[in-house]
Amino acid sequence: MTQSINLPKFDDFLQELATIQQQGSKRIAFLGSRHVPLTHQLLIELLSYALALSGNSIITSGATGTNFAAIRGALRADPNLLTVILPQSLDRQPYESREQLENVIHLIEHSENDDLSLAEASMRCNQEIISKCQQLICFAFHGSETLLQTCKDAEEQRKVVTLFYFD
């Protein structure tokens, strides 16, 4: 009886190992669900803070929940190391996010996506974010289709992906 085992290719392991062992700063993207309990948000904020404090650039989007926590942490550590890429214009962001986003130095808006659904604009935004990062840290539920697809796309682009599930 023969069983097929899907193991990552050897060069994938080497690529991941090289990224993990890389000295100096990295460009790390944070993406995740909007529906995050407060205790989880505090942990995400702490992780973002620690990574920015150690010189890493943080890239995220502007939604509430995971991204909001990552922004808070990076802003506390070093606002110059934070880039926020919005799926649409600032005016289209949730009211509770706008005040914090006004403190972001490197803010990229995509007003050309204002006529798209939030899901389509978010998918485009996530693609831009992963194109700019070396590593993706994602917080999702097993049913978070857009986020899970983004993780898959990042892996196909040979990014290091760390995926945490809330459920």
Side-chain angles (χ1 to χ4, degrees):
M1 180 154 87
T2 325
Q3 261 187 321
S4 174
I5 299 174
N6 292 330
L7 294 174
K9 296 178 201 146
F10 185 71
D11 60 332
D12 291 343
F13 281 123
L14 292 177
Q15 170 95 19
E16 192 166 325
L17 182 61
T19 302
I20 291 169
Q21 292 181 326
Q22 173 188 339
Q23 297 296 319
S25 62
K26 291 183 270 200
R27 293 177 314 278
I28 301 174
F30 276 78
L31 292 174
S33 177
R34 290 173 174 81
H35 310 288
V36 183
L38 182 58
T39 54
H40 290 76
Q41 287 183 41
L42 294 173
L43 290 171
I44 294 165
E45 179 180 345
L46 183 60
L47 180 58
S48 173
Y49 172 76
L51 288 168
L53 201 59
S54 57
N56 295 290
S57 296
I58 305 299
I59 307 166
T60 192
S61 190
T64 58
T66 299
N67 301 343
F68 194 79
I71 292 168
R72 242 184 354 250
L75 283 174
R76 261 189 353 167
D78 186 343
N80 285 308
L81 292 175
L82 173 65
T83 300
V84 176
I85 301 173
L86 300 178
Q88 297 172 319
S89 64
L90 183 60
D91 293 341
R92 299 284 305 242
Q93 301 310 301
Y95 176 76
E96 57 272 14
S97 298
R98 283 191 229 151
E99 184 177 338
Q100 178 172 266
L101 291 171
E102 290 172 0
N103 297 316
V104 174
I105 298 168
H106 307 289
L107 181 68
I108 300 169
E109 297 180 59
H110 284 291
S111 56
E112 70 276 12
N113 293 339
D114 282 355
D115 292 333
L116 299 175
S117 69
L118 180 58
E120 178 62 29
S122 293
M123 184 60 94
R124 289 183 182 189
C125 181
N126 289 354
Q127 293 303 316
E128 180 178 353
I129 289 170
I130 62 173
S131 75
K132 295 179 182 299
C133 76
Q134 294 168 290
Q135 181 174 357
L136 169 63
I137 300 174
C138 186
F139 298 86
F141 293 94
H142 282 87
S144 303
E145 293 176 25
T146 300
L147 290 169
L148 296 178
Q149 182 61 49
T150 299
C151 290
K152 183 178 178 186
D153 294 344
E155 287 173 341
E156 289 173 0
Q157 294 179 35
R158 303 178 63 85
K159 310 291 178 159
V160 174
V161 176
T162 305
L163 175 57
F164 294 97
Y165 287 103
F166 291 122
D167 55 358

